[in-house]
Amino acid sequence: MRTPRNKTIVMKLRFWLKLHKVNKAGTAPISVRLTIAGARAEVSADLRVFPDEWDQATQKVIATRRTPSVVAKLNDYLDDVEAEIRTARKDLPKSERTAARVAQQYRGEAPPEPICLLTALEKMLAAHYRHANQHTLPNFERAAVLLREWHQQRTTRPSILAKHTFTDDLKKDFTAYLLQRMSPAGVRTYRIALSAMWHRAGIYAADDKPFAGLKLPKHTVKQRASLSKDELICLRSSPLPSYQHHARNLYMACFYLHGSRILSVLQLRWKDYDGTRIRYQAMKGGPLKSVVVGAGLQAILNEYTDRRPEAFIFPYLPADYFSLSPQERHKKAKSGVTAVGFHLRKACIALGLPDNIHPHTARHTMARMTVEANNGDIRAAQHVLGHTNYRQTEAYVRSMLTEEVDIAASNVYDSL
């Protein structure tokens, strides 16, 4: 099969008469429209004719007022204009062959100063993303920092990183630089962040993907594990160093508070505790939840002595947390969750427990043990966790359901 020509370098030319610009003498100018990859530019042919002298179908001057020899000279002139425009396109590097750039080359205009991709990132972060989703901003900021660090390592003197100089070879080198520091999933995230900012800045068109064709190695995500009853008892009762001890306490608090999310537990203050119950907002925008403090959770609370009403129960967030901006609160909360996850994982490794434990998996552990304690009834776990749909709970205990399906099918086969 014939390979189609690259649409990014094919140029279409069309002469047309601008009838809306007829002068007092009755003549209208002829213009040339250039189209490359769907983008258009326009240059003047420096020729005016009467409307009845122009045939738009053939894009030629016809002999209605002038002699055939004069008409032939005018059409030869238009052919020369077309040839000069195509020569201007040919003289440009392939990366610069846009309609606007070809028009500038034909007119003899100097090319515009190239836009630095790094400067564009800084402007977009300042003008838009700092006021957008606070969960998106950290990844976008980090993507800009990584690109700048890579660029500084490659250049011995200050230079700009323009679109036409950011070639495929440099994109491959940048991707390899990222793969040395993170998983393929992380590389994909940061490349998407860079593309999104450049698209919004107008440097790349919406359908122009800067990193298209640069494939990443496959990455298998290791699923977070929930703990069995014996593993949970081991984690709860084993002596641990200070930081791991506090991380374990936070994990167990998430478990005892009906499998609450880690961020909700981090934000608990002593004024939320009345001696028998803890009342707090378990979900953003949701109703207040009231949980009885049992013996297990009470033992954890007894370890913390700073019981001022406004003080946090678990000292991971700064005292002025609620007076910070939403962006700063998000950063502090993310930092706290990361610290808890790091020390919790170290504790699990030291105790011989699964190493893919995260504070949020206390929620999975609660779901698992609730289903086990209620003869496989998912609805009980659904209400404990506060899920609106049982399918959310089913995703937490899918591995357990798989075992139950195998047992049920085995019972049918045995009965035969």
Side-chain angles (χ1 to χ4, degrees):
M1 187 176 77
R2 183 180 176 184
T3 305
R5 299 177 69 182
N6 189 342
K7 71 173 184 178
T8 61
I9 60 174
V10 172
M11 179 174 66
K12 297 179 181 179
L13 291 180
R14 184 173 181 83
F15 291 89
W16 61 295
L17 191 66
K18 305 178 78 170
L19 295 174
H20 62 288
K21 290 194 175 182
V22 176
N23 60 12
K24 292 182 179 180
T27 61
I30 296 176
S31 184
V32 189
R33 177 182 293 165
L34 322 177
T35 305
I36 300 179
R40 292 178 177 179
E42 189 176 308
V43 296
S44 173
D46 291 328
L47 178 64
R48 302 182 74 97
V49 296
F50 290 97
D52 60 352
E53 292 183 304
W54 181 252
D55 182 10
Q56 188 59 51
T58 60
Q59 300 180 58
K60 297 292 184 182
V61 180
I62 56 178
T64 57
R65 293 172 177 261
R66 310 174 201 256
T67 62
S69 60
V70 174
V71 170
K73 289 182 180 179
L74 294 178
N75 286 327
D76 288 342
Y77 169 76
L78 293 179
D79 291 339
D80 291 341
V81 171
E82 180 177 355
E84 291 176 9
I85 292 174
R86 294 194 180 278
T87 300
R89 181 197 66 85
K90 188 176 180 180
D91 291 341
L92 290 172
K94 288 185 178 180
S95 60
E96 296 184 37
R97 290 179 182 175
T98 63
R101 187 68 188 91
V102 172
Q104 291 170 348
Q105 181 78 358
Y106 170 74
R107 291 192 291 259
E109 298 175 358
E113 289 294 328
I115 301 175
C116 180
L117 297 178
L118 296 169
T119 304
L121 294 178
E122 296 299 329
K123 289 182 178 178
M124 289 311 302
L125 285 170
H128 175 74
Y129 288 102
R130 295 194 193 281
H131 307 289
N133 191 323
Q134 61 182 0
H135 297 280
T136 303
L137 178 63
N139 283 339
F140 281 38
E141 284 184 323
R142 181 60 180 158
V145 169
L146 288 169
L147 182 64
R148 187 174 295 279
E149 289 177 351
W150 166 81
H151 185 247
Q152 289 175 348
Q153 290 184 12
R154 285 190 54 84
T155 57
T156 55
R157 55 197 177 105
S159 63
I160 67 170
L161 180 64
K163 177 181 177 180
H164 69 278
T165 61
F166 195 35
T167 60
D168 289 343
D169 289 338
L170 290 184
K171 293 173 185 176
K172 289 179 182 178
D173 188 78
F174 174 60
T175 300
Y177 173 82
L178 294 180
L179 286 171
Q180 294 175 356
R181 288 157 176 76
M182 63 193 71
S183 67
V187 176
R188 185 176 296 105
T189 297
Y190 289 131
R191 293 201 319 190
I192 290 174
L194 292 173
S195 300
M197 287 188 279
W198 288 330
H199 285 154
R200 183 170 284 275
I203 297 175
Y204 288 91
D207 58 346
D208 188 5
K209 300 180 179 179
F211 298 99
L214 300 179
K215 294 185 177 180
L216 295 172
K218 291 184 178 180
H219 175 65
T220 55
V221 179
K222 192 174 183 180
Q223 296 296 327
R224 299 295 189 187
S226 58
L227 296 178
S228 65
K229 182 178 179 180
D230 292 338
E231 290 171 337
L232 188 68
I233 293 174
C234 175
L235 177 64
R236 181 185 65 181
S237 57
S238 301
L240 293 169
S242 175
Y243 288 109
Q244 297 176 24
H245 176 82
H246 291 302
R248 183 261 311 277
N249 281 354
L250 195 56
Y251 182 89
M252 294 304 303
C254 292
F255 173 78
Y256 285 129
L257 290 169
H258 295 185
S260 290
R261 293 174 176 82
I262 173 65
L263 186 55
S264 299
V265 179
L266 275 179
Q267 295 178 356
L268 286 177
R269 292 181 283 184
W270 286 108
K271 70 177 184 179
D272 301 323
Y273 172 53
D274 63 4
T276 57
R277 285 179 174 272
I278 288 182
R279 292 177 174 83
Y280 63 104
Q281 194 173 37
M283 292 183 293
K284 183 178 180 181
L288 290 178
K289 187 171 185 177
S290 178
V291 180
V292 175
V293 176
L297 182 55
Q298 186 65 61
I300 293 174
L301 297 179
N302 290 340
E303 296 185 22
Y304 300 94
T305 56
D306 182 4
R307 300 207 172 191
R308 292 171 298 166
E310 297 297 327
F312 290 105
I313 295 178
F314 300 100
Y316 281 92
L317 301 178
D320 60 345
Y321 174 79
F322 287 104
S323 64
L324 300 175
S325 66
Q327 289 180 11
E328 290 299 320
R329 284 205 301 268
H330 174 71
K331 290 182 179 179
K332 297 297 183 182
K334 189 173 182 180
S335 176
V337 173
T338 301
V340 174
F342 174 77
H343 295 295
L344 181 64
R345 183 173 177 273
K346 290 185 67 175
C348 289
I349 293 174
L351 298 175
L353 301 176
D355 63 349
N356 52 338
I357 293 294
H358 181 270
H360 186 74
T361 59
R363 193 166 173 80
H364 295 238
T365 300
M366 185 62 184
R368 173 179 178 175
M369 297 184 68
T370 304
V371 172
E372 289 176 347
N374 290 274
N375 299 319
D377 185 4
I378 296 181
R379 290 174 298 177
Q382 175 190 344
H383 293 302
V384 168
L385 298 180
H387 286 159
T388 57
N389 192 307
Y390 80 94
R391 294 187 182 277
Q392 294 175 277
T393 315
E394 185 179 312
Y396 280 23
V397 293
R398 185 167 292 135
S399 60
M400 294 174 55
L401 294 177
T402 302
E403 296 172 4
E404 290 179 359
V405 169
D406 291 339
I407 294 172
S410 178
N411 291 337
V412 173
Y413 301 145
D414 292 343
S415 68
L416 294 175

